[in-house]
Amino acid sequence: MSVMLERLQQEKIVAIFRYIEDQYADQAAEALLNGGITLMEITMNTEGAAGMISRWREKYGDRAGIGAGTVLDLEMAKEAIAAGSQFLISPNLDEAVVDYGLKTGVPVWPGVMTPTEIVRAWKAGAEAVKIFPMGTLGWKYLSEIRAPLDKIPMLATGGVDLDNIADYFKAGACAVGMGSKLVNLDWVRSGRFDLLEERARKFADAAKALAKS
């Protein structure tokens, strides 16, 4: 098990930064850190993503785990890892990306949906997978596929909120990925980083409570 997977399973939440403007990025990251969420994914379709990853690695050091999301192919993987990404997450499975992660020591958690895709990713060397799109599939789907595939750690992304986060973990998610429900860009652009921190704290507290139960 990689250090990042261990951290993922302990902290249980990955904040997804998609389309955030560079001028707000640091304040938003700090708000989440202050709220208790330290794993952060910057999607590669965000303008200036590589620069943000590099800056956050230097700025936050061990306080945060910084990775790249929406890593669709090998070229993106190379760019993200060169910038300092500590993990790669994608909506799809590309074995070349998984293999590159293995060679460079950077964990890759590819996006999969079906049992066949999940096992294929695992056999390719992915130590965990991202079940996507969970907002459509729902936690009951996760519960069903976890029964025969319980040895493979699964990160559930999409559809998670405070009302159902417990359902996702009871269904077998090792962690959840959260975008707009956590990184609310309207709040960010209006300077309401206090609301961002408050929301982060609620989710972080919920995850900690579930870990103890």
Side-chain angles (χ1 to χ4, degrees):
M1 182 188 300
S2 71
V3 172
M4 289 312 301
L5 178 59
E6 186 175 359
R7 187 168 182 177
L8 177 74
Q9 292 178 325
Q10 288 176 346
E11 302 193 23
K12 297 190 176 301
I13 295 175
V14 178
I16 302 168
F17 289 78
R18 186 185 304 278
Y19 303 142
I20 191 168
E21 291 86 356
D22 193 88
Q23 62 183 309
Y24 306 120
D26 290 7
Q27 285 176 281
E30 286 164 14
L32 263 62
L33 282 170
N34 291 337
I37 291 178
T38 68
L39 291 178
M40 304 186 194
E41 163 195 342
I42 302 174
T43 67
M44 292 300 286
N45 60 348
T46 296
E47 186 175 352
M52 289 183 210
I53 291 167
S54 180
R55 186 172 73 242
W56 285 6
R57 285 299 315 280
E58 184 176 346
K59 189 178 181 74
Y60 301 120
D62 292 337
R63 285 182 66 203
I66 307 299
T70 316
V71 179
L72 304 179
D73 53 35
L74 184 57
E75 185 178 346
M76 285 186 177
K78 289 180 177 179
E79 182 184 4
I81 290 175
S85 291
Q86 293 170 283
F87 57 87
L88 304 181
I89 299 179
S90 61
N92 62 304
L93 170 60
D94 185 326
E95 283 98 336
V97 172
V98 176
D99 184 62
Y100 188 69
L102 289 170
K103 289 176 179 175
T104 55
V106 177
V108 177
W109 305 326
V112 291
M113 184 176 74
T114 67
T116 298
E117 291 173 337
I118 293 167
V119 174
R120 182 176 159 191
W122 185 54
K123 287 186 175 181
E127 60 178 6
V129 296
K130 163 183 162 178
I131 308 300
F132 176 80
M134 282 272 59
T136 301
L137 297 168
W139 62 265
K140 291 181 180 179
Y141 176 81
L142 178 64
S143 181
E144 286 188 54
I145 61 172
R146 283 290 297 164
L149 303 174
D150 60 317
K151 301 298 183 186
I152 304 173
M154 298 182 189
L155 166 68
T157 300
V160 181
D161 56 38
L162 284 170
D163 294 329
N164 66 17
I165 189 170
D167 294 325
Y168 279 88
F169 287 117
K170 287 174 185 174
C174 73
V176 295
M178 301 191 61
S180 58
K181 296 279 179 66
L182 188 56
V183 187
N184 185 310
L185 291 182
D186 289 335
W187 294 349
V188 167
R189 290 164 182 157
S190 60
R192 293 305 308 269
F193 298 104
D194 56 319
L195 295 178
L196 215 62
E197 180 179 337
E198 181 183 350
R199 175 70 61 85
R201 185 169 291 109
K202 286 180 180 177
F203 276 107
D205 288 346
K208 287 175 186 174
L210 290 164
K212 292 176 182 177
S213 63

